[in-house]
Amino acid sequence: MLNRRSVLLASLAAGVAMTSKAHARAAQPATPINFDVPAHACDCHTHIHGDVEKFPFFAGRVYTPEPASPEEMAALHKALHIERVVIVTPSVYGTDNSSTLFGMKARGATARGVAVIDDKTPESALDTMHQDGFRGIRLNLATGGVNDPNVGRPRFTAAVERMKARGWHVQLYTTLAMISAIKDLVETAPVPVVFDHFGGLEASQGLEQPGFSDLVALVKSGKAYVKISGAYRSSKLAPDYQDMVPFAKALIAANPDRIVWGTDWPHPDSSRVEGRKPTDIAPLYQIDDGRLLNQLPVWAPDADVRKKILVDNPARLYGF
């Protein structure tokens, strides 16, 4: 008997849109890719939500996502013509990176990981993570409302201090206000700094919104990378997010050597919804990743620049 997962995988392989009962998400991608994706292209921001019995969620999480398997992700990337992947541990696992490692092992040498740690994580564990392909840690200063610079600054400083000896990068999921508050620390950081999802900007606020110029300056100076990922988190103009064009172009023009791209698959919804408890299933956002990738030539019309974004910059940052 066909279950939700087998239906989804079959439709993924066929590259057609399909849904099944029990709030199954649409097959990806619904739209075929309309440009030549360079060899060794990398999706620099994904998550794996493994079998909850094998990979239980963190009790203190603020949402509970639907499952998302390595097989589903591999089928998506085959359709997108993407070879490499960076898997990031989401907040729902706390400091347990085992689901991310599970996904990385499924992809072998074409995968890298970004871990979540705390001050109790021993250096020996980081050594093992490095051998397994982890190349950075993520600080989440957005989900759960951690937006106080008095909290963010010392957390960032502590993370940089731990990472500098091993050359890992520090990735931040945060807001433009926080970026402005830690700009001086980023400018002197001895490790690469990576900002998720366009730095948390709000497209409706325009290019002059507070903090965007600080983000552009950090990118221009080479002190920070930005993931032009998760456009739907900054824009309300689905499905092509036209209001993101000026932001993407401004960041790329500032320094094309410090831009990477990602799907943010499987598109978890961490927002607070009235009446929804953290333990209730939060349906994944229904995003057409083919249409999302097709925006890259709009943002970066030059094929050489796209190769930097999809291949060269990830290879440098993640050590492929």
Side-chain angles (χ1 to χ4, degrees), residues 11-34:
S11 60
L12 275 166
V16 297
M18 182 180 296
T19 58
S20 63
K21 296 180 180 179
H23 56 267
R25 56 189 180 276
Q28 294 290 343
T31 302
I33 302 308
N34 62 12

Side-chain angles (χ1 to χ4, degrees), residues 6 16 23 81 91 110 120 128 135 154 170-171 185 189 226 256 280 285 310:
S6 60
V16 297
H23 56 267
H81 312 297
S91 63
T110 63
K120 299 182 183 65
T128 300
R135 292 295 182 267
V170 174
Q171 175 180 317
L185 300 178
V226 174
D280 293 337
Y285 288 120
L310 291 172

Side-chain angles (χ1 to χ4, degrees), residues 198 201 207 212 228 243-253 259 299-300:
F198 286 90
L201 66 84
L207 289 170
F212 185 65
I228 50 173
D243 52 350
M244 296 301 292
V245 174
F247 296 101
K249 285 182 173 290
L251 290 166
I252 293 168
I259 308 296
W299 300 343

Side-chain angles (χ1 to χ4, degrees), residues 173-176 179 196-202 209 215 234:
Y173 181 31
T174 189
T175 62
L176 290 179
I179 291 173
D196 285 357
H197 309 327
F198 286 90
L201 66 84
E202 295 183 30
Q209 63 188 284
L215 176 62
S234 298

Side-chain angles (χ1 to χ4, degrees), residues 84-192:
R84 295 168 174 169
V85 65
V86 177
I87 305 174
V88 181
T89 298
S91 63
V92 294
Y93 288 114
T95 58
D96 182 355
N97 298 285
S98 57
S99 185
T100 295
L101 180 59
F102 169 65
M104 293 165 63
K105 287 184 175 179
R107 292 289 283 267
T110 63
R112 295 290 185 269
V114 177
V116 176
I117 68 171
D118 60 18
D119 55 8
K120 299 182 183 65
T121 305
E123 290 299 313
S124 59
L126 296 180
D127 292 339
T128 300
M129 288 182 192
H130 189 87
Q131 294 172 3
D132 289 332
F134 285 89
R135 292 295 182 267
I137 61 170
R138 188 192 201 197
L139 293 184
N140 189 329
L141 303 179
T143 302
V146 182
N147 54 16
D148 182 355
N150 292 323
V151 176
R153 286 179 64 87
R155 284 188 62 189
F156 176 74
T157 299
V160 167
E161 188 64 26
R162 287 201 74 178
M163 291 303 104
K164 68 180 184 181
R166 61 184 62 249
W168 284 16
H169 68 272
V170 174
Q171 175 180 317
L172 293 102
Y173 181 31
T174 189
T175 62
L176 290 179
M178 183 67 78
I179 291 173
S180 293
I182 64 171
K183 182 185 177 186
D184 60 317
L185 300 178
V186 177
E187 289 173 334
T188 58
V191 301

Side-chain angles (χ1 to χ4, degrees), residues 187-254:
E187 289 173 334
T188 58
V191 301
V193 177
V194 183
F195 293 112
D196 285 357
H197 309 327
F198 286 90
L201 66 84
E202 295 183 30
S204 63
Q205 301 302 307
L207 289 170
E208 301 304 317
Q209 63 188 284
F212 185 65
S213 61
D214 289 331
L215 176 62
V216 171
L218 288 170
V219 171
K220 186 174 184 178
S221 70
K223 296 305 297 184
Y225 288 79
V226 174
K227 295 186 180 185
I228 50 173
S229 58
Y232 57 91
R233 298 189 181 278
S234 298
S235 169
K236 304 298 183 187
L237 299 182
D240 293 325
Y241 317 108
Q242 288 296 317
D243 52 350
M244 296 301 292
V245 174
F247 296 101
K249 285 182 173 290
L251 290 166
I252 293 168

